[in-house]
Amino acid sequence: MSGDFLENTQYYVDKAAKALDLRADVTKQLKTPHREVRVELNIQMDDGSVGTFIGFRVQHDDARGPFKGGLRYHHHVDAEEVTALASLMTWKTAVAGVPFGGAKGGIAVEASKLSQGETQRLTRRFIDGIHDIIGATTDIPAPDVNTNGQVMAWIFDQYSKYHGYEPGVVTGKPVALGGSVGREAATGRGVVYATQELLHTLGMKIDEQRVVIQGFGNVGTWAARDFVEAGAKVVGIADISGGYVNDEGIDISAAIEHVAKNRTLEGFGGGKHVDGDALLAHDCDILVPAALGGVLTKENADDVRAKIIVEGANGPTTPEADEIFAKKGVHVIPDIYANCGGVTVSYFEWSQNMQHFYWELERVNTELQRVMKRAYANLNETRAKHECTLREAAFILGVGRVKEATEMRGL
Ligand code: NAD
């Protein structure tokens, strides 16, 4: 799957390069990752045994600023998946117009099987392995699947042991350690801002939309809350335990409370339990994949009834499914724009850390919305100029900006 993911990412970069009329050598330079690191991580497990894991950090491009990207703890993590995700970060930061490059990292591990102590030891050991290639002006990790503010706090602490106090080395930190207010909500909130931009273009109202969200972690829960707050009805949610649908509207606060107590939605009584595929095909106006990649494929794309897909997750749609959606007239808001709210507020957090001056929540949200509006306007102009889909426009915009910076810096 991860091999396909990398291939799919490169496919869109090649397509953008063609639209921009780039030379083959330039395209090759843009696609090639700067550095790929693989580290062996040995830790003591709670039962006294030694656990051996593999950690990855891929730094894809830093022409526009320090490498930037999340850390994922998941058993699917491998070199190719991390490389694909790192590449997406390069184009995403360029689309958002924030002064960062792209990177990604992760550890291949069944995160749900680790205790809190094991997770902490694994995180610290990972930083022992990569501390000399990360830093506030070089490479700045952040949360992704199965990592959160606590994991970022351990990263900050472990890094400080080698390099002294440098909160800007990682974003998504708890507010008590120099994190930004509004960072935890930012990706999901940005998903809703992105949706509002498209709805505005289409002359549609958010309070008339029925939404299904796959993935009920950081991105999914915050998107759900903000959709409801904007007046939309969330009629389906899902996590690793399956889907839950309720056409009257799901009580999102009750679902979040359930997960806080039970770790997953398993046993949630606020909706009818359905399997993952049925959830994606459930009758709704907007579908938000906010879990893992590769979930919308040529096998299930025709079953999707939503008219709008907003990619909270990275790489949820395969190119074949994307083509089917384009033919069906389904609007797809691509990951490298739809979920850029996270890296945008990470940028705000980082700049607050660099200045030691902290913002109020209202300023964070206003600035986030401003960035998302500006990026959407740029996307729309690009789409009109190249007569293409929003995804193609996003890659054309991202690749074009990175190419410009690369060329100006020279060899
Ligand atoms: P998370 O670990 O907080 O949540 C992941 C959720 O997906 C969980 O609810 C999990 O149960 C669910 N899930 C896992 N496998 C599933 C399956 N097979 N079917 C249905 N649900 C499943 O992760 P997150 O930070 O919310 O990230 C979700 C996605 O958003 C990822 O693709 C990530 O790369 C992307 N993303 C995250 C951020 C961020 O700031 N956290 C930013 C941009 C993009």
Side-chain angles (χ1 to χ4, degrees):
M1 214 258 317
S2 49
D4 291 348
F5 186 13
L6 183 55
E7 234 171 73
N8 296 346
T9 308
Q10 305 289 41
Y11 166 83
Y12 290 120
V13 178
D14 283 331
K15 227 172 162 182
K18 207 166 161 206
L20 291 164
D21 212 12
L22 300 190
R23 289 196 327 249
D25 54 341
V26 173
T27 309
K28 184 175 175 190
Q29 185 189 3
L30 293 176
K31 277 163 61 178
T32 308
H34 171 82
R35 182 190 272 147
E36 300 171 64
V37 172
R38 177 189 180 281
V39 283
E40 177 193 1
L41 309 171
N42 296 310
I43 59 160
Q44 178 152 37
M45 305 302 283
D46 291 348
D47 66 3
S49 66
V50 175
T52 298
F53 303 92
I54 302 297
F56 301 91
R57 185 73 180 167
V58 174
Q59 299 175 332
H60 182 263
D61 193 279
D62 68 344
R64 298 182 56 265
F67 299 106
K68 183 89 189 82
L71 291 180
R72 178 176 290 198
Y73 290 0
H74 195 273
H75 57 280
H76 283 164
V77 165
D78 62 20
E80 290 206 337
E81 181 186 79
V82 176
T83 305
L85 289 164
S87 164
L88 284 180
M89 285 306 299
T90 297
W91 320 121
K92 187 184 303 178
T93 52
V95 166
V98 296
F100 287 132
K104 202 83 181 189
I107 302 176
V109 59
E110 289 257 17
S112 63
K113 297 210 171 128
L114 294 179
S115 68
Q116 181 87 337
E118 288 166 341
T119 308
Q120 175 169 182
R121 291 195 289 280
L122 189 57
T123 301
R124 289 188 186 276
R125 192 47 54 90
F126 188 32
I127 298 310
D128 290 340
I130 65 166
H131 73 89
D132 52 354
I133 60 154
I134 62 172
T137 58
T138 47
D139 182 359
I140 307 142
D144 194 73
V145 176
N146 293 325
T147 59
N148 55 22
Q150 176 60 78
V151 173
M152 300 307 115
W154 293 325
I155 293 174
F156 161 64
D157 185 69
Q158 193 66 10
Y159 183 84
S160 307
K161 291 178 181 164
Y162 293 97
H163 303 278
Y165 178 75
E166 204 181 327
V169 64
V170 66
T171 58
K173 298 178 292 296
V175 173
L177 291 178
S180 177
V181 289
R183 170 60 185 92
E184 203 195 310
T187 309
R189 183 154 292 157
V191 162
V192 178
Y193 287 156
T195 309
Q196 280 171 323
E197 291 302 309
L198 176 71
L199 290 174
H200 183 70
T201 316
L202 299 174
M204 291 161 70
K205 290 194 179 135
I206 195 154
D207 57 8
E208 290 169 2
Q209 309 304 315
R210 294 161 307 148
V211 185
V212 165
I213 301 173
Q214 183 206 40
F216 207 61
N218 173 277
V219 181
T221 52
W222 281 102
R225 269 186 252 229
D226 279 20
F227 269 120
V228 170
E229 199 166 313
K233 199 189 269 184
V234 176
V235 295
I237 54 175
D239 71 359
I240 190 78
S241 71
Y244 304 80
V245 296
N246 180 348
D247 290 334
E248 299 306 312
I250 287 177
D251 180 344
I252 296 303
S253 308
I256 290 172
E257 219 170 280
H258 185 94
V259 173
K261 276 197 199 124
N262 305 286
R263 268 184 103 149
T264 71
L265 284 166
E266 179 129 45
F268 176 60
K272 191 176 122 210
H273 188 264
V274 296
D275 73 20
D277 285 339
L279 180 100
L280 295 173
H282 191 71
D283 190 19
C284 66
D285 306 298
I286 300 173
L287 174 63
V288 182
L292 297 173
V295 294
L296 296 169
T297 63
K298 64 176 187 301
E299 280 78 31
N300 63 12
D302 269 321
D303 302 330
V304 169
R305 288 196 263 178
K307 280 274 162 275
I308 295 173
I309 294 170
V310 191
E311 295 185 336
N314 284 309
T317 311
T318 66
E320 294 92 347
D322 211 39
E323 254 176 54
I324 295 171
F325 293 139
K327 277 195 194 122
K328 287 201 328 181
V330 175
H331 300 273
V332 181
I333 309 185
D335 46 9
I336 58 172
Y337 169 65
N339 68 40
C340 77
V343 74
T344 300
V345 177
S346 274
Y347 163 52
F348 300 160
E349 176 177 337
W350 177 80
S351 48
Q352 291 170 68
N353 293 152
M354 301 312 254
Q355 296 174 37
H356 303 283
F357 178 77
Y358 288 86
W359 302 2
E360 302 292 332
L361 181 60
E362 198 191 339
R363 178 168 177 196
V364 171
N365 290 339
T366 306
E367 292 286 336
L368 171 61
Q369 195 165 25
R370 189 182 59 77
V371 168
M372 302 262 338
K373 270 184 184 294
R374 181 186 63 196
Y376 187 78
N378 295 156
L379 273 188
N380 241 349
E381 282 157 26
T382 310
R383 175 168 63 169
K385 182 171 165 200
H386 290 270
E387 295 178 350
C388 62
T389 64
L390 266 184
R391 187 187 313 279
E392 287 159 355
F395 274 89
I396 290 170
L397 191 63
V399 170
R401 285 177 175 169
V402 177
K403 180 237 169 204
E404 190 189 356
T406 305
E407 250 176 22
M408 282 196 277
R409 292 177 75 136
L411 290 177

